């Protein structure tokens, strides 16, 4: 017999012996769903404890909690199924698995999808001054007519450069100096 973890003993006398754990007695009392047992001689139904934050324990006798996937979180202990892992909202992201919180997108970026593992850089032609914006429409401010921005990921109006003297762009949101026409 090879000892295994994930079960607990009854803590009672069984056939004149204390049942301290199934790891050496082959107990029929596995750790319940939502809990995990990663050591031997557990003698409580709490096993090693509730499933860890950012993880779930969907099977009896879970030894190693399963991490919630990237783009999701679980902020409490005791998740018992994958569906307990909550999606990151638009405007947030989480690149790692097994996390208890999502991160806000920074200035100059946005995230328009649920479950994002990264944020998208603000496009050329404007800037994104609002952190945690949940869509390009909410994040993007186009450069005014007469200006342009040729770089992605910008977060302030200072990224909008004026057309050279003697030229002007007639439309907002221009992406390059080539949009500036002679007056």
């Amino acid at each position: 017999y090879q000892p295994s973890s994930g079960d607990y003993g009854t803590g009672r006398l069984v056939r004149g012996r204390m049942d301290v754990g199934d790891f050496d007695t082959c107990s029929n009392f596995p750790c319940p769903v939502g809990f995990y047992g990663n050591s031997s001689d557990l003698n409580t139904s709490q096993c090693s404890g509730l499933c860890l934050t950012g993880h779930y324990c969907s099977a009896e006798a879970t030894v190693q909690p399963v991490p919630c996937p990237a783009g999701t979180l679980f902020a409490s202990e005791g998740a018992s199924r994958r569906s307990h892992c909550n999606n990151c909202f638009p405007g947030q992201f989480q690149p790692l698995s097994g996390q208890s919180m999502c991160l806000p997108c920074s200035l100059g970026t946005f995230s328009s999808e649920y479950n994002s593992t990264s944020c998208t850089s603000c496009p050329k032609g404007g800037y994104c001054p609002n952190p945690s914006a949940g869509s390009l429409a909410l994040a993007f401010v186009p450069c005014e007519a007469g200006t342009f921005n040729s770089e992605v990921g910008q977060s302030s109006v200072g990224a909008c450069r004026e057309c050279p003297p003697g030229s002007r762009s007639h439309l907002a949101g221009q992406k390059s100096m080539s949009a500036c026409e002679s007056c």
Side-chain angles (χ1 to χ4, degrees), residues 136-181:
L136 181 58
L138 293 172
F140 187 74
V141 178
C143 292
E144 294 179 1
T147 66
F148 67 95
N149 172 25
S150 59
E151 298 179 24
V152 298
Q154 298 303 304
S155 62
S156 73
V157 69
C160 300
R161 296 183 133 73
E162 291 193 21
C163 287
S167 66
R168 173 161 173 70
S169 64
H170 297 286
L171 300 173
Q174 296 303 307
K175 301 174 185 175
S176 71
M177 189 165 59
S178 64
C180 299
E181 301 172 347

Side-chain angles (χ1 to χ4, degrees), residues 7-158:
D7 293 340
Y8 67 95
T10 63
R12 292 182 240 149
L13 276 173
V14 177
R15 292 186 202 101
R17 250 180 54 175
M18 180 64 76
D19 182 19
V20 294
D22 76 315
F23 300 94
D24 51 20
T25 63
C26 298
S27 174
N28 291 322
F29 299 101
C31 295
V33 170
F35 292 82
Y36 73 104
N38 64 356
S39 63
S40 59
D41 296 330
L42 297 170
N43 59 10
T44 170
S45 63
Q46 304 290 311
C47 297
S48 295
L50 286 167
C51 199
L52 305 172
T53 59
H55 295 73
Y56 61 98
C57 300
S58 60
E60 288 185 338
T62 295
V63 175
Q64 183 66 40
V66 179
C68 289
T72 67
L73 73 123
F74 190 72
S76 301
E77 295 177 316
S80 59
R81 34 182 200 267
R82 162 63 179 89
S83 63
H84 288 158
C85 300
N86 300 306
N87 297 329
C88 293
F89 287 108
Q92 303 175 328
F93 73 107
Q94 182 46 263
L96 306 173
S97 61
Q99 300 302 303
S100 61
M101 62 187 283
C102 293
L103 307 169
C105 290
S106 61
L107 291 170
T109 67
F110 68 96
S111 167
S112 58
E113 302 291 326
Y114 287 90
N115 272 44
S116 290
T117 57
S118 65
C119 296
T120 303
S121 292
C122 191
K124 297 176 183 180
Y127 56 99
C128 298
N130 302 317
S132 301
S135 72
L136 181 58
L138 293 172
F140 187 74
V141 178
C143 292
E144 294 179 1
T147 66
F148 67 95
N149 172 25
S150 59
E151 298 179 24
V152 298
Q154 298 303 304
S155 62
S156 73
V157 69

